Amino acid sequence: MMQLQWPICAAMKSLTDILAVPKKTTPGDALLFIDKITKAINNNESIYWVIALKENNHLIGTICLWNIIAADDKAEIGYELHPGFHGKGIMHEAMQAVIDFGFNEMQLKAITAFTIVDNIASVKVLERNNFKLDTAGKYFEQDVEEVEGGVVYVLEKT
């Protein structure tokens, strides 16, 4: 059975304070979320990776490709990192690996990302990885309207 590192999960839930996603406030909520992710993975709707420290293998974040639409050769990237590890280039490194996997292994043509315009750290990591704001609405996701300040970024394979 998987053992949750609850202090890490509890600290990571603070990231959801700026996102419009249900908060995982108990170990039971976290297990339900893990079950949802597992089902999506089994249905080829998402791929999840754990971000861990090299020196001790402790979980510090996650990154995923989800909302995979095979017919359109696109997927959405999602990510979260424990606040204690922000600004260290960890998410940039993880994102580069996932982008490479998406374009070269999955043969995606585009990777989208949804964030909140006020989430400066998220915007910075997206822009540092060459994502561009989808001002034309080409990759508009219906959910964006439902979240105040929600924006879509896109990275197209060149």
Side-chain angles (χ1 to χ4, degrees):
M1 175 163 178
M2 180 187 304
Q3 182 178 2
L4 285 178
Q5 295 179 352
W6 185 245
I8 294 286
C9 293
M12 287 178 70
K13 80 179 178 68
S14 67
L15 296 174
T16 62
D17 292 340
I18 58 171
L19 300 176
V21 294
K23 294 176 178 65
K24 285 65 175 174
T25 57
T26 68
D29 291 341
L31 288 173
L32 288 173
F33 182 69
I34 291 168
D35 186 53
K36 178 181 173 181
I37 291 168
T38 301
K39 286 178 183 170
I41 291 168
N42 291 338
N43 291 331
N44 294 318
E45 297 166 354
S46 71
I47 303 170
Y48 255 81
W49 292 269
V50 168
I51 301 170
L53 294 174
K54 292 175 184 175
E55 57 269 11
N56 59 22
N57 215 25
H58 286 159
L59 166 73
I60 59 170
T62 63
I63 190 165
C64 67
L65 289 171
W66 68 299
N67 287 335
I68 298 170
I69 303 174
D72 294 338
D73 295 319
K74 77 173 192 173
E76 181 177 349
I77 195 167
Y79 47 91
E80 61 185 351
L81 186 66
H82 185 283
F85 297 94
H86 287 188
K88 299 179 187 292
I90 296 168
M91 188 55 70
H92 175 66
E93 180 182 345
M95 194 173 283
Q96 286 180 322
V98 170
I99 290 167
D100 181 66
F101 181 86
F103 286 151
N104 296 315
E105 299 297 323
M106 296 177 67
Q107 298 299 307
L108 296 174
K109 293 179 182 165
I111 300 173
T112 62
F114 174 82
T115 192
I116 306 299
V117 73
D118 293 338
N119 186 344
I120 304 302
S122 182
V123 169
K124 280 184 179 179
V125 76
L126 289 169
E127 290 177 349
R128 187 171 177 212
N129 282 284
N130 300 312
F131 280 78
K132 304 292 182 214
L133 186 61
D134 182 22
T135 55
K138 182 177 177 182
Y139 292 93
F140 180 77
E141 303 291 337
Q142 188 173 1
D143 297 356
V144 174
E145 280 186 338
E146 300 171 11
V147 180
E148 186 176 334
V151 291
V152 173
Y153 278 76
V154 63
L155 179 63
E156 295 177 309
K157 186 175 184 176
T158 54

